[in-house]
Structure formats: C-alpha cells, structure tokens
Amino acid sequence: MTSIEKRYQAFCETLPESVDVEAAKERLLKQHVETPSWGYGAMGTRFYTLHKPGAPRNVFEKFEDAAQVQKYTGIARSVAIHIPWDKVDDYEELKQHAQSLGLSVGAVNANLFQEDDYVWGSLTHPKAHVRERALAHLAECVDIMNKTGSTILSLWFADGTNYPGQDDFRARKHRMEEGLAKTYAMLGEGQRMLIEYKFFEPAFYHTDIPDWGLATLYAKKLGPKAQTLVDLGHHPQGTNIEYIIAILIDEGKLGGFHFNNRKYADDDLTTSSINPYELFLIFNEIVAAEQDPAIELDIAYMIDQCHYIKPNIEAMIQSVVNIQTAYAKALLVDRKRLKEAQENMDMIEAEECLVEAFNRDVTPLLEKVREELGVPANPRKAFRESGYMARIIEQRSR
Amino acid sequence: MTSIEKRYQAFCETLPESVDVEAAKERLLKQHVETPSWGYGAMGTRFYTLHKPGAPRNVFEKFEDAAQVQKYTGIARSVAIHIPWDKVDDYEELKQHAQSLGLSVGAVNANLFQEDDYVWGSLTHPKAHVRERALAHLAECVDIMNKTGSTILSLWFADGTNYPGQDDFRARKHRMEEGLAKTYAMLGEGQRMLIEYKFFEPAFYHTDIPDWGLATLYAKKLGPKAQTLVDLGHHPQGTNIEYIIAILIDEGKLGGFHFNNRKYADDDLTTSSINPYELFLIFNEIVAAEQDPAIELDIAYMIDQCHYIKPNIEAMIQSVVNIQTAYAKALLVDRKRLKEAQENMDMIEAEECLVEAFNRDVTPLLEKVREELGVPANPRKAFRESGYMARIIEQRSR
Amino acid sequence: MTSIEKRYQAFCETLPESVDVEAAKERLLKQHVETPSWGYGAMGTRFYTLHKPGAPRNVFEKFEDAAQVQKYTGIARSVAIHIPWDKVDDYEELKQHAQSLGLSVGAVNANLFQEDDYVWGSLTHPKAHVRERALAHLAECVDIMNKTGSTILSLWFADGTNYPGQDDFRARKHRMEEGLAKTYAMLGEGQRMLIEYKFFEPAFYHTDIPDWGLATLYAKKLGPKAQTLVDLGHHPQGTNIEYIIAILIDEGKLGGFHFNNRKYADDDLTTSSINPYELFLIFNEIVAAEQDPAIELDIAYMIDQCHYIKPNIEAMIQSVVNIQTAYAKALLVDRKRLKEAQENMDMIEAEECLVEAFNRDVTPLLEKVREELGVPANPRKAFRESGYMARIIEQRSR
Amino acid sequence: MTSIEKRYQAFCETLPESVDVEAAKERLLKQHVETPSWGYGAMGTRFYTLHKPGAPRNVFEKFEDAAQVQKYTGIARSVAIHIPWDKVDDYEELKQHAQSLGLSVGAVNANLFQEDDYVWGSLTHPKAHVRERALAHLAECVDIMNKTGSTILSLWFADGTNYPGQDDFRARKHRMEEGLAKTYAMLGEGQRMLIEYKFFEPAFYHTDIPDWGLATLYAKKLGPKAQTLVDLGHHPQGTNIEYIIAILIDEGKLGGFHFNNRKYADDDLTTSSINPYELFLIFNEIVAAEQDPAIELDIAYMIDQCHYIKPNIEAMIQSVVNIQTAYAKALLVDRKRLKEAQENMDMIEAEECLVEAFNRDVTPLLEKVREELGVPANPRKAFRESGYMARIIEQRSR
C-alpha cells in the first residue's frame, strides 16, 4: 500500500458514515476547470503593467503554458480563448496544436471593448454601424467556435455610460435586446451563449448588464441556448453569491463561472485567496443540486483572473487546486445530517455540518485523486521543480 | 398680479423655449405622494426608541397627523396602513375617518416579521402551519383592501437566514413561489400586489428576495397584477437606482416606490437628504417615460421613512416637498436639447442638460403650484406656525 | 496512550520541523476569551426581538450561563458587564457570585445611548448638563471597576448626527476630547480605557468616532492608559482589518477586540461565521507580534455578539471555539519559511505558508489542549448533552 | 447697469440679511483651483485608452491647454505636474512658459508606481536599493520644486500588497516611516509635503496608507511641513468625507484636496458629477473654518481627474466651475440662523439652512464674479465656441 493509499484509508475512516467518499472521488476525477489563455500573458492595472520574463508571445505559447497546468493538475483540459487577442489565420492549426498538448479549445470570448468606438457601447451603441460591427465580430466568434469545436460563446459587455445623461437608458436596452437576439440566432446545434454581468467598471456611471437579474431576464427572453455567466468579482460588496447560484440553478440558467476573488473592487485575484469559505459555500450549492434528481446541470467552470504580479502558471495551478479543494470539501458535507438539522430547525447543528466539512483537511483525498489521474500529489511544487519556467524564459527571450 | 405670480412669470422667462412649463405645472398639480401611517409614530433603532411627545396613539390619530401633511402640501391625499399595527374593528369607520379628513386609505402593508415564528421566514418558513398563518394574514390584508377601497397590497418579506446552512435555499424559493401564487389568486379586480426587495437586514446572511431581479422574476411569473416595489434604501452601495427604474419601466413592472434615503445601510432617512441628485435622476427617468407614448405608467409614489429623532409631521412635509422639488426639476429638463446632445454623442452637453435642470431653483413654480392647490407657499413653515404640535402634545398626553 | 494523545502525536508528525507545537500548546492553554453578559440575554433587530425560553432574568443568571461556557471551553473565565443593564445594589455580591462560578468580572461597558437625551450625543451633546450626566455615568462605571476588580473601561459612543447641519462637527470634537480627558483622569492604577470606533449606526449621517484613526488619535493624546478597541463588525466593507491590527500593535495602541462577524452591516454574527480566513489573518498578526521581542502586547479578547435567533450559550461556545481555532492555526504558521519567502519576494510561497496553516485541521491539538484544561473534547456537543438548557428553561419560567 | 449687474442686484435681494454677499464675492474672486497636467492627456481604464485627437504631446502643450481653463474661468492659475511624465531638461524654460501663459507650476507629484520594481512597493519595498531609488526620485522632485518655485510635494504611494503573506505589514510600516522622515528632511523653507491615502487599488489586498488616519498619524510624527491630502475618490462607500475634513481642519492637518467624484470605485469622474451635495457639504466645513478666528487654513485645492471619454479641456472647465459653484453656495449659508438652530437643537431648521443654500441658483453671483475677473459669463460655452479644439486637433496631428 502506498503512503498515499494509507493516508486515504485513514482519511476515509474519519468521515461520517453517510458520506459516500467513493462517489465524491468519482466526481473529482471528472471535474473540469477551464483556464483562460489571457491568464498566461502579462496583465496590469490601469497604472502599470509589469514586464514578466517568459510571458507567451502568441496563442500557441499560451496553450503550451496551459498544458503545464493540465499536466500537473489533470483537470484543466480546455482553454478559453479571447478574440481578437488569440486570432490566428488557421484555426484548424490551433485546434490541432491544442490536441497535441492534450487540450481542447474552450469558450470563445468576444472582445467588444478595445476599439475607440466601443467606449460608447457595442451592441448598445447609438450608431447602427458600430452595432453592426459588433455583430460582425460576434459572427466571427461563432465561426471560430465552429472551426475549433467550441460550444460556448462567452459574452462580457463593457457597455455602459460614464455620466448621467450620456445616453438614453431604455434606448440602450432595446438595442441590447435586439443585438442579443441576433447573436442568439447565430448559434448552432449544441452551442450556447453565456451572458456575463458586471456591477461596475470600465463604465463608471452605469453598466448595461449590471447584475444577474438583467442577464437572466435577457437569457429567459432569448431561450434555452442563453444562460447567465457568474464572475465572482462582479458583485457589490456584501452580496450573497451562493444564493444567486441557487436561484440560477433553480431557474435552469446557471451557464457557468468566471472564477476569481477580490477584496474591494473587481480585482481578479486568485480564486479563494480572500474568502475561501465563500467559494466552499458556492460549491455547496452545486453539490446539493448535483444530488437532486429534479435538477439538470451543465455548468462551465472557467477561471478568469488577471495575474498582475504572481507568476502566471503557478498562480493558475494554485487557482485550479483551490477550486478542486472547495469542491472536495463540499462533496464531503454530511447532507443527511444537514437535512435533518434543517428540518429540525437546528441552525447551529446545520451550520456546523458546513463548518466541519470546510475545516476538514482533504489533502489525502486529493492526493488519491491525483494518483488516479496520474499527476503529482503536489502540483504546484512539482511544476516549480520542473524547470519549465527557466526554459521558457530563456526560449522566449531569444 | 400677486408676488407669486410675478416671480412665476419671471421664472418662466428664464426657461429654455422647448420646455413646456404649463404642462409641467399640470403634472405637478396632479402629483400624488402617499405617506405611511407608521411614519407618524415613534420609531427607533435597534438600540433605542426616543419618546416623542404628541406621538399618535392609534391609527385614527395617525390619519389626523397625515391630514396635516395633506393640508400643507396638497399632494399627500392617501395614507398607507400597516397591519396589524393599524388594525381596527371597523374598517368602514377608518375609511370614513380618512374621508372626513380629505384622505383615503392607500396601500395595505402586510406585516410578516413580528412574531416568533417569522424569524425563520413567513411564506418561506419550513413548517407548513407557519406558511398558512402567513397566508391567512395576507388574506386578511386583502380583505382590508376590499373594505377600505385600497388597491395595493404592499409586500415586504423579512424572510431570510442568518447563517450558512440554516435552511435550503431552493426549498425556500419553491415555498416563496407557491405562497406568492396563492396571494396573487386572492387579488380582485383593480387590485395589485407590489413585491419589495431588500439587499440585507433583518436577515443577516441571506434575504429571500434580495434584489429587483428576483422580485421582478417573480412578478413576471405571477402576471400583470404583480409588480416590483423599489425602496430607495434597499440597495448595495454604489447601485445605479435610476437605471433599475428605467429597466422596470421598460418591462412594465415598476409598481411603486418606497421613498427614503440612506448614508450607509438602510437608514430610512428623509428622502433626498443625502443625495438629492440621485432622486432627481430617478424622476428624470420617470418624466422621460411619461413623455414616451409607448409607455404606460401606474406608479405608486409612497414614502417609507423612520423618523428616529426628527419631529414626524415636519419631516414628512419635508419629504413630500423634496419629492415635489425633484419632480419639478425633472419636468423642466430640456429634453429636446438632451436628445440632440445624445444623438450627437456630446456627453458634456447632455450632462449639462441635467445639471442645469437640477441646479435650477424651482421655488417660483412650486409656489405657483401651491397657490393653485390652495396651500401655503412654504408648507413646513406654515405647519410649524400653526400650533398643531403644541395642541396634540397637550391633548395626547392627557 | 489515550486516543486523544495518539491523534495528537500523529498530528505533531505532520507539522513542519520549524513549528514549535509545544510552545503553541502553552499559548493555547493560557488563552483567555471574555464573553459578554449581554450575549446571554435576548437581543433583537430593530424590527423584532425573539422570545427565548430560559433567557437569564438578571446579571446573576447571566453569569451562571457564562459559567457554562467556561465549564465546557476552559478559556472563558471572565465576563464583561454592561451598566446599567447589569447594575446591582451590591457589587461585592456580584464579584463573589462570579468567583463562586470560577469567573471574574471583566470589562465594564458604559451605556451612553439609552436615554432620550443621548440621541443627540453623550460626551458630545450640545448641552452641558447632558455631558455632565454622561461623565457621572462614566464615574459610576469606574467605581464599579474598583468594586469588582475590573481593569477595563470599555467605551462605545453611539454619538453622532442623523442629518447634515444637525450639529457643529468641530464643536462636537472639542466636547468629545474634553470628556475623554475627564474620563481618563478617573482611571486608577492598572486600569485602562478602550475607545471603540464604529463606521455607522445608530447615528445615520455621521459617527463621532467613526474609525481606528480618530480613536487612536484620541488615545495618543490621552496617554498610555487609553487604547483603541477594535470591533470586527464596525468597518466599511472591504476594509483590511488585519492591517489595522498590525498598525495598532506597532503603535502600542491595540487595547482589545470585540469579536463578531458580519455579512453586510454590523450584524453581530458568530465570530468567524462569514469569513473565517479573515479571523485567521488577524490572529496571524497577533502571533507574529507575540514572537517579536520588540513588541509588548496587552490585548483584551472580548466577544461582542447579538444572538438574535441562535441559542445563546451554544452560540457563545461556538464563538469561543472559533476564536481558539483561529489562534491555533495562526500559532502553527511556519514563520521561518514565511520569512524566507518574504525575503525572497516569493509571494506564492509566502501565501501558501498561510493557506497551509489555515487549511490544517487543528482538532487533534485542540482536543489535547482541552484534555489538559480538563474540559470535554467537543465543548458544544457536551454542553448540549448536559441538559442545562432544559433545566434553566424550566427554572426560569417559574 | 449691465444685465449681469441687474441679475446680481436682484439676486442679492433674495438673500437672508445675515449673509454677507460682498464678503462671499471677495472670497470667490480669490479662489484658486489647481488643474493637473495629466488631466489634459489621454487616460484610460485598465481595459482601454481612447485615442483623443488634439491630446497634448508634451508638458508645454499641457500647459497651453491649462491656460485655456484659466482664460475662461480666471481661477485656475496653477498647474500640478507629474514627474517623470512632465520631466524636461530645463525647468527654467517650463517655469517661464507657464508664466508667459499666466500660469505657475503647482504641486510636484512624485511617481513611484511605474517601474517593475515598484509593484512591490517604493518606500516600503523590502530591498534597500529600491527604497533608495524611490528616495532619489523624491529628491529629484524637491529639486524640481526648487527650480520651478513649487511649494508642494504631492505624495501618493501605490505601495501595498496583493495577497496575504506577501510581505510583513509592520516591517513595511517601519520602512515607510523611515522613508517619509528622509523625504521630510529634504523640504526647504516654505515647502510642504502632502501625504495622500487610498483605500484600495492598485494594490489589491492592502494599501500601505489606506486612510486619513494613517496619513495623519504619519504627518503628525513628521512635523508641521507634513499634512494630509484628501482625494475624494479614495474612501470606502458610505464614508462621511465632510466629517474627515472637519477633523483634519481641527488638527491643522488638512493640506489639500484632489477633487474628483466616483460612483463605485475610484473612478476619477468630474468633480460633483455624482453627488453635488457632498461637495457642497465639504465646502460648508471649509467656509465655517474660514470664518472661525481660531482656525488657520492653508489648503491646496487641486483637481485630480482622469477624463476617459470626455473632452479634457471642457471637462476641466466643468470641474472648476462645479467647485466654484459649491464654494459659492457654501459661502451663502446663513450661518447665524444655522448656529441658532443648532443651539436650539432644531435639526430640521438647521438642515434646511444647508438645503436652502444648496438649492439656491448662484449663477447671478458667479456671473458677477466672472465679470470682475474678466472672463466670460459661461466659461464652457465660450471655450467651446472659441475654436481652440479644432485648432489644436489640426496643429497637433501634423
């Protein structure tokens, strides 16, 4: 018996009887977290962008970095791309490059915020020619989905205004609805669009889709191929995100996540780095739904982070591991005891079911999962010791 | 020509040509702001409740105080009631008392938060007998609407939980939906229910209807007699409330307001006392919609304030006048110039249309309106000089 | 070897070499968390107060309940009192009652917010006679300290205003400074005053001591017997409280804590129930200072919670255990590795030092500590099974 | 009598007797608002920077644009510079260029955030050589002050960390204090340093000087040449900034302002564009202090805005005018009546003193002031009609 197996056995003995650890392990073996191509490049604040040696110079190198995350975690086998940042002449080549690395192309993220025109809006822009240009870009994105086998169109609109009076709110809403409907019509079989919301920034006075409420209202009008995308950093302070997750699950509209964390504004920090309990509570809702026969889930778990200072690949491994940890802890909640406590209106007992699961050190389970996945027990350490960073710093500076 | 007339004439000359001041005046003459019966009584913080001499001892005295607000402002001719705080044996008597004072009974506000059972929820409570009790209370409220001629059932749910795990979010949602549907079925011809939302408090971990998104999702499922109620103090910091108003108007779901203001949490301060520009921007959306033939509005303008220290009647007059002022300023926005500026994407010019309207001193117009309404030019001052307070302090201390 | 001992030995083997677990255990054996007398009574929101069977009817019963927390945790051997809520004729009797229960009287909390006059301020009140009354109350509190052997005067001022213009800010500041100086002069040898700050509530527009900055500015002017009191719930959202702790430690002004937690406003929730990582990071600063020979600490660790729905004694045990857990985790941070990582500017490695310590399940250490303290391994469970609640519900309803 | 004079006379007649409008006019004639060189260039969000035709290509052109603001407002006669953005070989030339335009060089703003090293801190950096480099930059700034006649060193530190554990809080504090002391020692006669604070961003976990409390604690330790700099956008939501102003005035530590406004985060919007009442309340504290013989003020009124989309010069004129308007309104508060109301504890009357002053349309007074200053009655309109923008767009695109 390996030491991992031994620790796992000992771990299993500490679990409550009603917890099915084998089922949890199966779930963990199938877990899939998508990393974003842009998370491997240099990203900055509005004040400065740090020069990072070894930063990838194109989308092919970004996929190579992403392959490292997959190599060491085993659960990060797709990569979201961002158009036009990741635009290439030959998407077949990109698709094959991905496959050769054991990866696939994940969500296609449209970029409707990096042209002069778009500072006034994209689908909501007052001028028809700009809206048409935005739609042409979205059509291009769907085309790339078709070429790369991607099934998700990821839509974040930076649309908004900076000052009262700048534009007519209801007119913008009508334009947004019209543009979304046209985009929806572009989607093929098995494809879906995820509508992201954001409370503030980069528009400073109003954001055209500020909250889950409006994103979901639009998704409901559009139809089953449209769902809501929850970026953890895009809420007002004090928001109960796990409750929003429960609502969206119940409405069949939880399309996916953009994982990250923040202290004050939308800081795109490492997932779980500020409030790990919150991430656990989010996964607690998901696990409860997974175990509810009345619920069907099809959630895209995607990371969206901006590693300003941290070394990108390590930070991404850290994030994937944090998400894995939160999921593992949530899978081991004693749901039988929780349900009983809730039925007895025994709130301390109910709370302690969650606290105990959160406080549990799930390392033995994760090591076992990693063994079965054929990846190192400590992904970050193994990556660090691999010498990959030194290699690319040398190669990419040539 | 009276001095009011003279000042009004001079004022009119300062207005842009495209502003129709007579139309504005007509709107102001028809404005209607409902005051709440509970705003006349002593309300406190969780730490203390101040003893206020002259505070009304029953709903009849509350209506007498409300009649003073109507007497001095001329636009506050209905009074919202709160059950069971305003419960009486004979609602016909209450209705006639109101009429004798030139008032009518406005919205009926259900109270589902002042019993031991309700700390765990009302319509969302895990136990069926509590949910049934809540429904019985709502049926009682609709009965009171029938007896008093009220057309609005005002629904604020304090429902929520205080700690993670306390209850099952989705189960609570199902119970809420079931309860709302049963309530909806109670409504008669010409009656509607307004669903209020609140981001936090008194539940400390999650609120069952935390935002406009969920309130409106429910209202949409229920049907045309259900709409959303916007309490200005119930949003996270930084929320663009005027944008929510525009969305709700566009969706036909803006049922009404609970007017107040706050600095940090839900402080129930005098409307407009912290950020008068925000109130103006809210009315700016309403006026724009009033002038849009595609839009039908039926908005209940209700004050919901807790006058902790301020003398209640004066504070209520202040609030009514502040709402009147914001509406007057919004009515005088040069919408032709605003529209042109927006079409030209001239954001400073567009913003200045609003700023100029906001900075305009509308006292001459308001004095003219008050003259036509037959109320004093300075309502608060006139009330203060009337001796009413001294009278009731004496009478009600007997 | 007991099973506790066995688990402890196994636990010790998992720790990094540079962590001194025996030293940590010594610290934990000496840990002292004060519980508040008012945390045992029924507390409510501004909307409602739940009736709790068995709630103590006087300060003697509150101490009996507090003795349960001490009995089952072993580290809660003092109780803060609140005057006039806990006023008695004979403080010698109270002191002896406490001693007979194995307790002592902790901080004396002044109450300067529950009289009509105080809605306008206490030490800051515009009228001299109210300020004098407040000072007389403070003198009474110091007298009670003398009689009970308490060394801490705990000062929370609800002082503030509700509307712009209500009072003169600088005049209030002068009055506050004068009042604080007079209070300072009352303190005897070995006594100190802790100045609490609060960002908002119950005053709605401005709070006279809103933040650590002003509390500390006053404490510095007053002298060594004045320090700052940090209530975890009294900060704006997004505040880095652990940084404030570090600053106060460095300035010699960290007098103590009021422990609790909150989701949005000052909700007085169970400590650590919303963001346990934050509590850990706070203790991480304290432990770092404890190990720094340049620093002298004299911190009063006090709980200040309002258990609205939770059963009070269990909730208090939960809080004490959560604080103990956070301290234990912080004591086991590998500070050698952390320091090296910081010196190497290796931010992921440094962060992981904290994350690993936080994720560590410290139950075996805590069970060992409890064994040595002579209390049950699972305090909350043991209390629940003791039948105490049933007993007092019966006794106190007579 | 000119129409301006007529309107002014009519305006004066509407004022309360106890308001000294001539004194107010004198104050307004002497008002001085400094504009920032960087406010004339293209600034962006972290997502995008708009290309603005006509944007100045160097500091000389920035001063030319600033001269337009002075030409049309008459109260913006100095310009803050930012080093190294505005670095020139010959500061005498810059000084004379400024003088030739009727301007002077205002505050010198150090830039300690745009080098790779500084992402870990400047004065707080763990490595001595980086701290020395930061000090060398500060010495260079003081040298530029000496050469240009500037008297203010404006210090904003982007210093902070992004993740728990990244660095040692107290060690950083010690380094900051040491660096500030060395900087203080560089200041000559008549020079001062203003220490800015910021609650968050660009550091995402902690900011080394997060609030007025720490900035002021440092300023007090340093001595009379060190004061606090208040940037209106650098506070948590809900902060009562006018109270901070009152405190700083009372402590003799209000060094100056960075004016702007924000809706959620630090958005650098046009001053007064989101909450004009707040700006008025800030000036209300200043005017009260100006009229208090016990108080000496030396406040630097500086704008710090990032005009992302708005045309820069117009936006700057708008800001200057908004600040002028707020000051004018505050100068016309009936302070006699306010004081009486406060003494009578008549809070509605006191509040109304402020509300009336805020609602007053001060255009006639401002037009009169502008006439005496020799600038157009409507600065923004006059600038727009001047053709300057068309000219520089043509010239600067060559």
Side-chain angles (χ1 to χ4, degrees), chain B residues 110 112-113 117-118 120-139 153 155-160 167 171-184 186 193 195 208-209 218 222:
Chain B
L112 295 163
F113 54 90
D117 278 342
Y118 292 152
W120 223 274
S122 61
L123 292 187
T124 63
H125 197 284
K127 301 297 177 200
H129 74 272
V130 179
R131 299 199 296 276
E132 277 153 27
R133 191 164 165 183
L135 284 167
H137 174 67
L138 291 168
L153 178 63
L155 294 173
W156 171 57
F157 297 99
D159 293 48
D167 202 358
R172 292 177 74 88
K173 176 168 180 280
H174 299 163
R175 293 176 214 137
M176 177 61 88
E177 295 203 54
E178 190 186 331
L180 288 174
K182 286 180 180 167
T183 309
Y184 191 86
M186 297 172 190
M193 59 194 263
I195 304 171
D208 280 293
I209 307 181
Y218 288 155
L222 290 167

Side-chain angles (χ1 to χ4, degrees), chain A residues 332-368:
Chain A
L332 301 180
V333 168
D334 188 342
R335 284 181 199 280
K336 189 161 160 281
R337 183 178 153 216
L338 175 62
K339 198 169 191 304
E340 279 168 17
Q342 288 174 344
E343 280 167 3
N344 296 335
M345 296 176 53
D346 184 345
M347 69 194 288
I348 292 189
E349 184 71 12
E351 186 187 17
E352 288 293 331
C353 288
L354 299 184
V355 170
E356 280 176 28
F358 177 69
N359 280 338
R360 190 173 284 136
D361 184 347
V362 293
T363 311
L365 171 58
L366 295 182
E367 287 180 351
K368 176 71 179 160

Side-chain angles (χ1 to χ4, degrees), chain C residues 57-188:
Chain C
R57 293 161 299 183
N58 54 51
V59 65
F60 295 96
E61 292 184 354
K62 290 178 195 171
F63 269 72
E64 282 157 25
D65 289 357
Q68 293 294 309
V69 179
Q70 165 62 359
K71 177 177 175 184
Y72 291 96
T73 67
I75 60 168
R77 57 192 176 277
S78 69
V79 182
I81 60 173
H82 212 286
I83 305 300
W85 298 342
D86 297 328
K87 213 165 169 168
V88 291
D89 292 332
D90 183 350
Y91 286 97
E92 184 56 32
E93 189 191 351
L94 179 62
K95 191 179 169 181
Q96 289 187 3
H97 180 68
Q99 284 171 354
S100 74
L101 294 162
L103 298 173
S104 64
V105 174
V108 174
N109 288 253
N111 180 317
L112 296 163
F113 54 89
Q114 285 190 315
E115 297 188 20
D116 278 6
D117 278 342
Y118 292 153
V119 300
W120 224 274
S122 61
L123 292 188
T124 62
H125 196 285
K127 302 297 179 199
H129 74 273
V130 179
R131 299 198 297 275
E132 278 153 28
R133 191 164 167 182
L135 283 167
H137 174 66
L138 291 167
E140 183 194 1
C141 288
V142 174
D143 185 52
I144 294 169
M145 289 167 69
N146 295 333
K147 287 177 178 156
T148 57
S150 166
T151 59
I152 291 177
L153 178 63
S154 188
L155 294 172
W156 171 56
F157 297 99
D159 294 48
T161 59
N162 278 6
Y163 291 96
Q166 182 180 340
D167 202 358
D168 182 311
F169 284 156
R170 285 184 291 116
R172 291 178 75 87
K173 177 168 180 281
H174 299 164
R175 292 176 214 138
M176 176 62 87
E177 295 203 54
E178 189 187 332
L180 288 174
K182 286 180 180 168
T183 308
Y184 191 85
M186 297 172 192
L187 296 173

Side-chain angles (χ1 to χ4, degrees), chain C residues 231-378:
Chain C
D231 183 298
L232 299 188
H234 290 189
H235 303 85
Q237 291 275 346
T239 301
N240 188 319
I241 301 176
E242 53 269 30
Y243 184 61
I244 294 174
I245 297 307
I247 297 298
L248 288 174
I249 286 173
D250 201 62
E251 294 289 325
K253 285 298 182 191
L254 181 59
F257 286 94
H258 269 181
F259 285 114
N260 51 50
N261 211 337
R262 61 88 184 262
K263 180 81 183 160
Y264 187 79
D266 171 43
D267 303 328
D268 284 340
L269 298 179
T270 304
T271 309
S272 178
S273 62
I274 300 300
N275 190 343
Y277 193 44
E278 184 182 66
L279 185 67
F280 164 78
L281 292 171
I282 288 167
F283 271 103
N284 179 52
E285 291 304 320
I286 293 168
V287 171
E290 283 176 346
Q291 299 181 4
D292 182 342
I295 297 287
E296 264 183 68
L297 293 176
D298 185 8
I299 304 171
Y301 298 91
M302 304 177 287
I303 290 174
D304 180 10
Q305 289 170 188
C306 160
H307 307 300
Y308 175 35
I309 312 184
K310 277 189 179 173
N312 297 14
I313 301 174
E314 269 198 53
M316 204 64 88
I317 292 174
Q318 220 188 1
S319 298
V320 172
V321 167
N322 288 350
I323 292 166
Q324 189 181 37
T325 302
Y327 188 38
K329 289 181 173 187
L331 283 164
L332 300 182
V333 167
D334 188 341
R335 286 184 197 278
K336 190 162 161 281
R337 180 178 155 216
L338 175 62
K339 197 169 192 302
E340 279 168 17
Q342 287 174 345
E343 280 168 2
N344 296 335
M345 295 175 54
D346 185 346
M347 69 194 288
I348 293 190
E349 185 69 12
E351 186 187 17
E352 289 292 331
C353 288
L354 300 184
V355 170
E356 280 176 29
F358 177 68
N359 280 339
R360 189 173 284 135
D361 184 347
V362 293
T363 311
L365 171 58
L366 295 182
E367 287 180 352
K368 176 71 179 161
V369 166
R370 286 176 194 137
E371 194 178 54
E372 297 195 16
L373 288 168
V375 302
N378 186 330

Side-chain angles (χ1 to χ4, degrees), chain B residues 372-391:
Chain B
E372 298 195 16
L373 287 168
V375 301
N378 186 331
R380 193 180 63 85
K381 194 157 163 277
F383 168 74
R384 184 177 275 214
E385 290 165 357
S386 73
Y388 180 84
M389 277 311 295
R391 235 164 19 245

Side-chain angles (χ1 to χ4, degrees), chain A residues 35-217:
Chain A
T35 71
S37 70
W38 57 94
Y40 298 100
M43 305 284 278
T45 70
R46 64 176 167 130
F47 296 100
Y48 191 62
T49 299
L50 180 67
H51 300 91
K52 285 186 170 177
R57 293 160 301 182
N58 54 51
V59 65
F60 296 96
E61 291 184 355
K62 290 178 196 171
F63 269 71
E64 282 156 26
D65 290 357
Q68 293 294 309
V69 179
Q70 165 63 359
K71 178 176 175 185
Y72 290 97
T73 66
I75 61 167
R77 56 191 177 278
S78 69
V79 182
I81 60 174
H82 212 286
I83 305 300
W85 298 342
D86 297 329
K87 214 166 168 168
V88 291
D89 291 333
D90 183 349
Y91 286 97
E92 183 56 33
E93 190 191 349
L94 179 63
K95 191 179 168 181
Q96 290 186 3
H97 181 68
Q99 284 171 355
S100 73
L101 294 162
L103 298 174
S104 64
V105 174
V108 174
N109 287 253
N111 180 317
L112 295 164
F113 54 89
Q114 284 189 316
E115 297 188 20
D116 278 6
D117 278 343
Y118 292 153
V119 300
W120 223 274
S122 61
L123 292 187
T124 62
H125 197 284
K127 301 296 178 199
H129 74 273
V130 178
R131 299 199 296 275
E132 279 154 26
R133 191 165 167 181
L135 283 168
H137 174 67
L138 291 168
E140 184 193 0
C141 288
V142 174
D143 185 51
I144 294 169
M145 290 167 68
N146 293 334
K147 286 178 177 154
T148 57
S150 166
T151 59
I152 291 178
L153 179 63
S154 189
L155 295 173
W156 173 56
F157 297 99
D159 294 49
T161 60
N162 278 6
Y163 290 96
Q166 182 180 340
D167 202 358
D168 181 311
F169 285 155
R170 285 184 291 117
R172 292 178 74 87
K173 178 168 179 282
H174 298 164
R175 293 176 214 137
M176 177 61 87
E177 294 203 54
E178 190 186 330
L180 288 173
K182 286 179 179 167
T183 308
Y184 191 86
M186 297 172 191
L187 296 172
E189 196 71 25
Q191 292 180 337
R192 52 181 167 153
M193 58 194 264
L194 304 189
I195 305 171
E196 195 165 348
Y197 56 90
K198 191 170 185 192
F199 187 59
F200 66 99
E201 198 213 19
F204 296 137
Y205 167 60
H206 109 281
T207 299
D208 281 293
I209 307 182
D211 53 25
W212 78 269
L214 195 53
T216 307
L217 189 149

Side-chain angles (χ1 to χ4, degrees), chain D residues 9 18 41 49 61 65 77 95 120 123 237 242 259 291 360:
Chain D
Q9 294 298 342
S18 49
T49 299
E61 290 183 356
D65 290 357
R77 57 191 176 277
K95 191 178 168 182
W120 223 275
L123 293 187
Q237 292 275 346
E242 53 270 28
F259 285 114
Q291 299 181 6
R360 189 172 284 135

